[in-house]
């Protein structure tokens, strides 16, 4: 079983970095640059994840997914959300057909 607590520890570190000196903390510098910079990093890591998958480089794929998750967690924290919010959504969706879940979001006006 994967240690989900590692995600909680990373989330705690991300929260602590909000108050850190941007000159000494990469995460703090991202927070200071704002939403556009954080979103740019998420997009960059998503593209690198896709490239690693297309290259069938499994170790590189794991590294890039880790970077993608990390920067996604920075984005969540930027908006006051956490890994627990994502886990709650996974729990809500568990056992629901992807087609049905997508239809429910379209019906409520949430087209994500």
């Amino acid at each position: 079983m994967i240690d989900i607590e590692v995600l909680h520890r990373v989330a705690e570190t991300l929260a602590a970095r909000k108050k850190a000196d941007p000159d000494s903390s990469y995460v703090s510098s991202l927070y200071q640059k704002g939403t556009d910079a954080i979103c740019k990093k998420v997009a960059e890591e998503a593209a690198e994840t896709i490239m690693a998958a297309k290259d069938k480089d499994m170790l590189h794929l794991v590294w890039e997914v880790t970077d993608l998750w990390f920067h996604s967690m920075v984005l969540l924290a930027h908006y006051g959300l956490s890994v627990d919010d994502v886990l709650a959504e996974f729990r809500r969706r568990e056992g629901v057909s992807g087609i049905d879940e997508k239809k429910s979001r379209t019906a409520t006006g949430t087209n994500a």
Side-chain angles (χ1 to χ4, degrees):
M1 189 82 171
I2 300 299
D3 177 13
I4 197 73
E5 288 306 311
V6 71
L7 295 176
H8 288 116
R9 290 190 300 271
V10 170
E12 289 171 10
T13 300
L14 294 177
R17 294 295 190 266
K18 282 187 174 186
K19 297 174 185 171
D21 178 0
D23 292 330
S24 66
S25 167
Y26 168 73
V27 171
S28 181
S29 71
L30 277 179
Y31 287 139
Q32 185 175 31
K33 291 174 188 173
T35 304
D36 287 347
I38 298 168
C39 288
K40 183 178 176 182
K41 283 303 295 181
V42 171
E44 175 188 317
E45 298 304 341
E48 291 173 359
T49 297
I50 292 165
M51 290 185 291
K54 287 178 147 279
D55 290 344
K56 297 182 173 96
D57 183 338
M58 298 304 109
L59 182 56
H60 190 201
L61 178 59
V62 169
W63 292 342
E64 295 303 339
V65 168
T66 303
D67 289 346
L68 178 58
W69 286 15
F70 176 83
H71 287 91
S72 295
M73 289 176 68
V74 171
L75 181 61
L76 288 168
H78 178 67
Y79 282 111
L81 299 168
S82 74
V83 67
D84 289 326
D85 296 299
V86 176
L87 292 172
E89 181 61 14
F90 268 114
R91 284 184 199 99
R92 185 190 71 79
R93 293 184 188 189
E94 187 175 17
V96 176
S97 155
I99 293 169
D100 291 341
E101 198 284 323
K102 181 73 171 180
K103 282 181 188 175
S104 75
R105 286 188 283 153
T106 303
T108 61
T110 309
N111 269 338

